[in-house]
Amino acid sequence: MENHNYSVLDVNGSEAAFQRVDKDRGKNAKQFTWVLLLKAHRAVGSIAWLGNGLWTLLGVIKNRLIFGQGVTMENEKSNKGRFLFRIILAFLVMALTFLAVEVVAHLKGWHYFQDHNLRIPRTSEIQGWFNMIYVGWLKIRADYIAPPIQFLSSFCVALFIIQSADRMLQCLGCFWIKFKKIKPRIEGDPFKSDDLEGSGCNYPMVLVQIPMCNEREVYEQSISAVCQLDWPKDRILIQVLDDSDDENIQWLIKVEVSKWSQKGVNIIYRHRLVRTGYKAGNLKSAMNCDYVKDYEFVAIFDADFQPNPDFLKQTVPHFKYIPELGLVQARWAFVNRDENLLTRLQNVNMCFHFEVEQQVNGVYLNFFGFNGTAGVWRIKALEESGGWLERTTVEDMDIAVRAHLKGWKFIFLDDVKVLCELPESYEAYRKQQHRWHSGPMQLFRLCLPAIITSKIAFWKKANLILLFFLLRKLILPFYSFTLFCIILPLTMFVPEAELPAWVICYVPVIMSFMSILPAPRYFPFIVPYLLFENTMSVIKFNAMISGLFQLGSSYEWVVTKKAGRSSEPDLLAAEERESKAMNHPQLHRGVSDSGLSELKLKEHQEAAPKPPVKKMNKIFKKELALAFLLLTAAVRSLLSAQGVHFYFLLFQGISFLLVGLDLIGEQVS
C-alpha cells in the first residue's frame, strides 16, 4: 500500500475489471495530505503577500501624508483645478458626516431601509430627539435628494450604454478588417526606375521635419534614425526645428546636425527667435521657408520617434495611386512599454486606439485624428486646409478636421510602426492627458460653425459632431467621472437611488475585455486597467471642462518628459546601420566610429562631480480626496451588505490612493 502506483479493485464479475475506475479511488491518504498541505501553503503565502503589501502601503501613507517625507504638494495653477478639488472635498465631508450618522443608527438598531425599501417609522416608534432628527433626514432624503440623484444616474447610465455600443461596433469593425484582411496595399516600388543613371529622378521631393523643445534625452537617437531613411539624398531635406531655450541643448543639437551634414546628409538646423504657438508655431514657421515650394510631401516626427529606414518607401507610394489622399499615418510602437505598471496600462490604451479606432475610421470613413507625428502629409492638402494654426493645443487634430472638411482622405497603416516612448511617471502622463483632452473641446467650439456650413455629406457632419467630438471627447470623460466617482459613492448614503450591479461590474468588465483584445499579452492587467481608467477620469473631466469653457489651464503646453530609453544594443545596431550607410566597416562592440564610447566617457566625467539628485514624488490632492470619498462609501456599503458595490468602491478607492500618493510609475527627478 506504500506504493502509489497501485490501486485495489473489487472484482465482482467477469466484466468488472473492464469497468471505468474512479480516479479518486486510486489516491491514498498520504497523497491527500500532501495536496492539502500544498494548498494551505499557497493560501498562507497569498495572505502573507497581501498583508505585507497592506503594511507597506500603510507605511507609505504615514511617511508621505503625515511626515511629508520625499514628497512635494501638487501645485494647482488654475482656479478650475482648485474649484474641482473643493467640490470633491465638500462631498468627502458630507460622506463622513452621513457615515457617522448611519453608524450610530445602525448600532441603535434603526434598520428602516432593509431590502433597499425605505420604511418611515410611526410616531410611536420614535425614541428621543436624535431618532427624530434621523427620521426627518430619511424623509428629506427620500423626497428631495434621491429623485435628482436617480435622474442623473439614469442619464449617465444611458450615456454609458451608448458609448459601450459605439466601442462594441468599433471592435466588430476591427474584427471584420482582420477577417477579410483589409488593408492599403502597394505593388512593388512605384518610383523605381530601370535607368541606372537616373535611378532617383522618379522619387518625389520629401521634406522631413523634427520639431523639438529641450529634448536633451532623445534628440540624438531621433536625428540619427531620420538621417538613415532610405530615400535618394537629392530628393529629401531634413529640418531640425529646435525651440529649445537652453543654450547648452541648442549647442548639442547643432553639433549633431553638423555631424550628419558632414556625412553628406541634406539636413539643416532652425531655431526661432520668437517662440510663439508652441509646436504649431514651430511647424508653421518652417513651412514658410522659400524652398518648401519645391517639395511635394512632408513627414513629421517628434523628438522621441525613431522611424525605420524603409518608412518613406512604405508610406509615400500610397499617394501616387490616390490623388485625393492627404495623409498617411503610421502606428506607434513603444520601446518602454514594459518598464512599469503605468507604461503597461498606457500601452493597452494605445494599442486599442491605433488598432481599433484609427484603423476602423481609416478603412470605413477615410478620416481620423492625425496623431501629430509618424505621418506623411501632402503639402498641397496642408496649404488648402489653411496650414498650421496656433489656436489650440491640438494642432494635429485641428489640421485633420480642416483637411477632412476640404474633402481630403486619410490612410492608416497598422503594419508600419515607428518606435517612441511612453511617459514613465504619473506626473508626466497626467500633464499629457490634460493637453490631449482639453484641446479637442477648444477645437470643437472653434470648428462647429465650419462643420455645419461645410459642403461635405450630412453623415460625415453627423460623424464629426456626434461621434468624433461629443461621444468620444466629451461624453466619455463626463459619465466616467460623474457615474463612478460621484454618483456611486452618493448612492451608498442614499440607498433609494441605488445603481444596479450590471452597471458597476458586468458592463465595465466586458468593455475592459474588449479594450485589451488588441494587446492580449496584457490580459492579467485587466482589473488594474479598469481601475486605472476610472482613476484617470478626474483628470480627463477636469481637462474637458477647461477646454469647453476656455479656462486658463486649457492653453497650457508642457513638453512630455522623456527618459531616452535606448539600450546599448539598440545604439550599437543604429551605429551598424549608420556604418553601412556611410560605407564603413561593420561596427564591433566597444568600438564606435561616431564617437559613442567617447560620448559615454564624456557624460560620465561630467556627471561624476555632481551630487546625486534627490528624487521627489508629488501628492495629488484631487486623487487623494476621491480616494477617501470612495473608501468612506465602501465602509457605508458594509452596513447594507452590498457585496459588488463594496468591492468596487474598496479597490477603486485604493487605486485612487496609490495614484494620489504617486506610487504608480517612475519617480520624477
Side-chain angles (χ1 to χ4, degrees):
M1 295 302 295
E2 293 297 328
N3 192 335
H4 307 312
N5 296 323
Y6 292 90
S7 60
V8 179
L9 296 176
D10 293 330
V11 180
N12 296 324
S14 59
E15 297 181 357
F18 303 100
Q19 294 178 359
R20 185 177 178 180
V21 181
D22 190 0
K23 294 181 180 180
D24 292 338
R25 293 179 59 186
K27 298 179 181 179
N28 58 23
K30 185 177 290 186
Q31 286 178 304
F32 279 116
T33 303
W34 280 110
V35 170
L36 291 175
L37 287 174
L38 181 60
K39 291 184 177 181
H41 179 267
R42 290 177 179 175
V44 171
S46 300
I47 295 173
W49 179 81
L50 290 174
N52 184 45
L54 180 60
W55 185 257
T56 303
L57 178 60
L58 292 175
V60 171
I61 293 173
K62 181 187 70 174
N63 293 333
R64 295 191 179 181
L65 282 185
I66 301 176
F67 300 112
Q69 296 178 359
V71 295
T72 58
M73 191 62 68
E74 171 198 7
N75 182 22
E76 287 285 1
K77 296 181 180 179
S78 66
N79 292 328
K80 171 65 185 66
R82 288 192 290 268
F83 180 67
L84 180 60
F85 171 70
R86 293 192 186 104
I87 291 177
I88 297 172
L89 203 60
F91 277 117
L92 175 59
V93 173
M94 290 171 50
L96 290 172
T97 305
F98 295 158
L99 177 62
V101 173
E102 295 291 351
V103 168
V104 173
H106 183 80
L107 294 176
K108 288 182 174 292
W110 300 337
H111 307 306
Y112 301 134
F113 46 88
Q114 294 293 338
D115 301 326
H116 312 298
N117 294 319
L118 178 66
R119 183 183 69 84
I120 304 298
R122 294 186 296 271
T123 306
S124 58
E125 297 177 355
I126 296 179
Q127 304 171 359
W129 62 271
F130 185 78
N131 195 356
M132 183 174 61
I133 294 175
Y134 181 66
V135 171
W137 154 245
L138 293 181
K139 293 180 180 179
I140 295 173
R141 190 179 75 183
D143 296 337
Y144 301 103
I145 298 179
I149 293 179
Q150 187 64 57
F151 173 79
L152 184 59
S153 172
S154 302
F155 178 67
C156 290
V157 168
L159 297 179
F160 180 36
I161 294 173
I162 294 172
Q163 196 274 333
S164 300
D166 173 64
R167 176 155 293 201
M168 186 171 294
L169 287 176
Q170 286 185 321
C171 290
L172 291 175
C174 181
F175 172 76
W176 185 253
I177 291 171
K178 297 293 184 184
F179 179 72
K180 289 293 185 178
K181 299 181 180 179
I182 303 172
K183 68 175 183 177
R185 289 181 173 87
I186 52 175
E187 299 295 335
D189 188 351
F191 304 123
K192 189 175 182 180
S193 173
D194 296 332
D195 185 6
L196 297 178
E197 296 181 358
S199 59
C201 62
N202 291 332
Y203 286 81
M205 300 287 285
V206 177
L207 180 67
V208 181
Q209 296 177 332
I210 314 176
M212 57 179 63
C213 180
N214 298 324
E215 308 279 4
R216 179 189 292 270
E217 296 82 7
V218 294
Y219 76 91
E220 187 177 7
Q221 61 197 39
S222 64
I223 294 175
S224 174
V226 170
C227 287
Q228 297 175 63
L229 288 172
D230 185 11
W231 203 256
K233 292 183 180 180
D234 59 337
R235 315 295 290 178
I236 185 174
L237 172 65
I238 300 170
Q239 288 181 318
V240 178
L241 311 177
D242 182 25
D243 257 5
S244 303
D245 55 7
D246 188 327
E247 293 183 357
N248 293 329
I249 299 178
Q250 293 178 26
W251 181 82
L252 289 171
I253 297 174
K254 287 179 182 178
V255 170
E256 185 69 16
V257 170
S258 176
K259 181 187 76 173
W260 285 100
S261 179
Q262 292 173 6
K263 294 179 179 179
V265 177
N266 195 9
I267 183 172
I268 60 174
Y269 173 87
R270 280 181 54 86
H271 179 75
R272 293 192 298 164
L273 296 178
V274 181
R275 299 170 56 250
T276 58
Y278 303 114
K279 181 180 175 181
N282 198 0
L283 294 172
K284 181 179 179 180
S285 173
M287 294 299 292
N288 288 332
C289 297
D290 293 335
Y291 53 79
V292 172
K293 65 179 182 297
D294 299 328
Y295 293 84
E296 188 176 356
F297 305 104
V298 56
I300 303 172
F301 299 101
D302 283 350
D304 58 317
F305 279 71
Q306 306 169 51
N308 290 325
D310 61 349
F311 175 83
L312 293 179
K313 289 189 174 181
Q314 289 184 306
T315 54
V316 175
H318 290 278
F319 290 96
K320 185 173 182 179
Y321 302 109
I322 310 175
E324 63 274 16
L325 182 61
L327 168 67
V328 174
Q329 173 72 59
R331 180 173 176 169
W332 300 359
F334 307 103
V335 295
N336 61 338
R337 63 179 182 270
D338 293 322
E339 188 65 27
N340 53 47
L341 178 60
L342 178 61
T343 57
R344 288 185 174 95
L345 299 179
Q346 289 180 71
N347 186 59
V348 172
N349 252 339
M350 299 306 291
C351 286
F352 181 85
H353 169 68
F354 284 109
E355 191 161 340
V356 179
E357 294 177 340
Q358 297 290 76
Q359 186 171 216
V360 168
N361 290 328
V363 169
Y364 296 109
L365 303 176
N366 293 122
F367 167 73
F368 47 81
F370 175 45
N371 292 116
T373 177
V376 182
W377 276 94
R378 192 189 296 271
I379 294 181
K380 182 181 178 181
L382 289 177
E383 294 173 346
E384 288 188 359
S385 304
W388 299 103
L389 299 181
E390 306 168 12
R391 56 183 181 173
T392 70
T393 57
V394 284
E395 74 293 327
D396 44 10
M397 186 181 295
D398 189 357
I399 188 63
V401 171
R402 287 184 281 118
H404 181 57
L405 296 180
K406 292 292 183 179
W408 291 98
K409 294 182 178 181
F410 303 165
I411 281 180
F412 175 75
L413 303 178
D414 188 60
D415 54 349
V416 179
K417 300 179 181 180
V418 181
L419 286 176
C420 60
E421 284 190 24
L422 290 164
E424 295 182 8
S425 70
Y426 177 67
E427 182 184 17
Y429 180 64
R430 198 172 185 262
K431 292 177 179 178
Q432 181 196 70
Q433 292 299 304
H434 186 277
R435 186 176 77 246
W436 285 4
H437 286 83
S438 64
M441 289 297 97
Q442 297 177 16
L443 184 61
F444 179 61
R445 289 173 57 100
L446 297 171
C447 282
L448 185 59
I451 295 173
I452 295 174
T453 58
S454 65
K455 297 180 181 179
I456 61 175
F458 176 78
W459 67 270
K460 291 184 178 181
K461 295 181 183 180
N463 172 68
L464 268 176
I465 296 174
L466 299 179
L467 294 180
F468 186 76
F469 279 113
L470 289 181
L471 183 60
R472 297 165 189 165
K473 302 296 188 297
L474 188 148
I475 290 177
L476 177 58
F478 170 77
Y479 86 73
S480 296
F481 173 73
T482 308
L483 185 63
F484 295 109
C485 299
I486 299 297
I487 293 179
L488 177 59
L490 286 180
T491 56
M492 296 298 100
F493 303 98
V494 186
E496 298 84 4
E498 181 186 4
L499 284 173
W502 61 268
V503 174
I504 305 301
C505 180
Y506 305 128
V507 176
V509 169
I510 294 173
M511 292 300 104
S512 298
F513 177 81
M514 296 174 66
S515 299
I516 215 167
L517 278 176
R521 64 188 292 257
Y522 292 95
F523 269 114
F525 299 95
I526 186 170
V527 174
Y529 172 75
L530 170 62
L531 298 174
F532 183 69
E533 281 300 289
N534 290 335
T535 304
M536 286 304 300
S537 64
V538 61
I539 303 302
K540 298 175 181 179
F541 177 82
N542 184 21
M544 182 267 292
I545 295 297
S546 299
L548 188 63
F549 296 102
Q550 295 185 334
L551 302 176
S553 62
S554 62
Y555 294 96
E556 285 185 15
W557 181 288
V558 180
V559 177
T560 304
K561 181 179 175 60
K562 282 88 173 184
R565 292 291 182 186
S566 285
S567 61
E568 185 178 354
D570 295 333
L571 290 174
L572 290 168
E575 292 294 330
E576 288 180 7
R577 292 197 303 267
E578 173 192 339
S579 300
K580 291 178 181 178
M582 305 307 298
N583 296 320
H584 288 309
Q586 188 173 359
L587 182 69
H588 298 282
R589 185 172 295 276
V591 181
S592 175
D593 293 332
S594 63
L596 181 61
S597 302
E598 291 80 358
L599 179 62
K600 289 183 178 180
L601 179 61
K602 182 179 179 181
E603 289 179 352
H604 177 72
Q605 291 174 347
E606 291 177 353
K610 297 179 181 179
V613 179
K614 184 179 180 181
K615 293 185 177 182
M616 301 291 289
N617 293 82
K618 279 197 172 181
I619 296 294
F620 300 101
K621 296 183 291 185
K622 287 193 289 289
E623 286 85 339
L624 278 182
L626 279 170
F628 294 130
L629 173 62
L630 291 167
L631 292 174
T632 303
V635 174
R636 170 62 184 84
S637 69
L638 287 176
L639 300 180
S640 51
Q642 294 172 309
V644 174
H645 297 71
F646 166 74
Y647 289 115
F648 181 87
L649 289 167
L650 175 64
F651 291 117
Q652 191 64 69
I654 293 175
S655 175
F656 269 105
L657 185 62
L658 294 174
V659 171
L661 293 174
D662 200 9
L663 292 174
I664 184 172
E666 293 290 339
Q667 293 175 315
V668 181
S669 173

